[in-house]
Amino acid sequence: MTSTLTPDLTTSATGGLTVITHPLVQHKLTIMRKKTTSTAKFRRLAGEIAMLLAYEVTRDMEVVLETIETPLATMQAPVLKGNGIVLISILRAGNGILDGMLRLIPSALVGHIGLYREPKTHVAIEYYFKMPPNMPLHDAIVVDPMLATGHSAVAALDRIKEKKPRSLKYVCLLASPEGIAFVQEHHPDVQIYTAAVDQGLNEKAYIIPGLGDAGDRMFGTL
Ligand code: URA
C-alpha cells in the first residue's frame, strides 16, 4: 500500500540534530529496512545513502578563491580550503558508511574505533583505537549506522575528543530518541546527522522499527 508524502525540505535541523529528509535518502532507507532486502543490495544502498549524507555533512566546508584560467578567461573560483577531513568509523558497521563517504571525499584520512556492546549492560567496551596524526588540524566526522542507546557513540566521542580534532560531527543512518538524548547530554557541542529518527528501543536495545542488526545485514553474518 502507498500513500503520498511529499517532504518540503531536504534537511530539517533543530538544535544539534539534522535529519536529512531528502526523498532519495528516504526511499533508499525504506529498501534497507525491508527484511527481504539482500546483503548485496543493503550494502550498496548503505554506500549510496552515505554519499548523500556526506554531501549534507560537508555543506559548511570552507572554500578559498583561486585564480584559474578557463579556455576563455581568467577567474577567481572556489576551491576547498584544505583542512583535512578525518572520517572515523565505529567498527564494524561504520565501515559500510565509510566506503560511500570516501567515494565523495577521497582525500579524507580515516580513523577506526572498535567497540562492542556488553550484551547485558549494553555498555560500550573499546578493543581498538587508531587515529591519523595531527588531529587538531582536522575536522572529524564519526560514522556509525545505528545510534541506539548512544553508549557507543558517547564512548567513541569521549575518546576522539582526547585527540582534540578541530571540529567533530556524528553521522548515522537511523537514530532513536533515547540515543540522541544521551549523546546531546554528554556532547552537546557535537552535531548529529541522521536520515531518520525512529520510535525507540526494544528490550535488547535494537531500534524499532529500525532495520535490524546493521553489521549483520551489511556483512551477511545473520
Ligand atoms: N545496532 C544495530 O545494528 N541495530 C540496532 O537496531 C541497534 C544497534
Side-chain angles (χ1 to χ4, degrees):
M1 193 176 111
T2 58
S3 58
T4 303
L5 180 92
T6 310
D8 55 356
L9 292 170
T10 55
T11 305
S12 93
T14 333
L17 177 70
T18 303
V19 182
I20 296 159
T21 56
H22 191 291
L24 278 174
V25 172
Q26 296 304 313
H27 179 81
K28 289 173 194 293
L29 182 60
T30 297
I31 302 172
M32 289 183 78
R33 288 180 186 273
K34 290 183 183 175
K35 63 181 180 187
T36 49
T37 297
S38 68
T39 298
K41 199 165 182 185
F42 188 94
R43 198 183 299 143
R44 179 172 57 74
L45 288 163
E48 289 173 6
I49 294 183
M51 279 200 274
L52 295 164
L53 297 184
Y55 180 80
E56 281 300 331
V57 175
T58 54
R59 188 174 276 287
D60 59 357
M61 278 172 89
E62 290 169 283
V63 292
V64 286
L65 293 180
E66 184 181 287
T67 307
I68 62 160
E69 305 279 341
T70 78
L72 300 174
T74 301
M75 73 173 286
Q76 294 276 300
V79 290
L80 289 173
K81 197 169 169 187
N83 303 314
I85 287 195
V86 177
L87 297 173
I88 302 170
S89 168
I90 302 185
L91 298 173
R92 70 187 159 142
N95 281 2
I97 308 290
L98 174 70
D99 293 344
M101 289 214 170
L102 280 172
R103 260 179 270 154
L104 203 67
I105 322 167
S107 61
L109 305 177
V110 177
H112 289 95
I113 178 160
L115 297 169
Y116 70 88
R117 286 204 294 183
E118 206 286 318
K120 287 214 173 68
T121 60
H122 306 138
V123 167
I125 316 277
E126 181 183 312
Y127 63 88
Y128 187 76
F129 186 83
K130 185 94 181 171
M131 296 296 134
N134 303 323
M135 287 290 282
L137 300 179
H138 301 306
D139 295 309
I141 301 173
V142 182
V143 298
D144 191 9
M146 309 298 273
L147 176 53
T149 63
H151 287 154
S152 305
V154 166
L157 293 169
D158 286 345
R159 281 289 275 131
I160 293 160
K161 277 188 177 174
E162 290 171 14
K163 298 286 177 187
K164 299 188 172 16
R166 213 173 78 103
S167 68
L168 188 53
K169 293 176 178 172
Y170 184 91
V171 181
C172 57
L173 291 182
L174 275 185
S176 72
E178 297 92 324
I180 293 167
F182 196 66
V183 171
Q184 289 185 331
E185 183 191 333
H186 290 83
H187 294 286
D189 54 317
V190 175
Q191 186 75 17
I192 301 169
Y193 293 80
T194 186
V197 180
D198 273 10
Q199 278 159 30
L201 302 174
N202 71 7
E203 64 293 346
K204 290 187 174 158
Y206 278 90
I207 297 178
I208 301 297
L211 49 70
D213 188 301
D216 281 345
R217 295 202 63 192
M218 195 108 57
F219 302 116
T221 49
L222 288 166

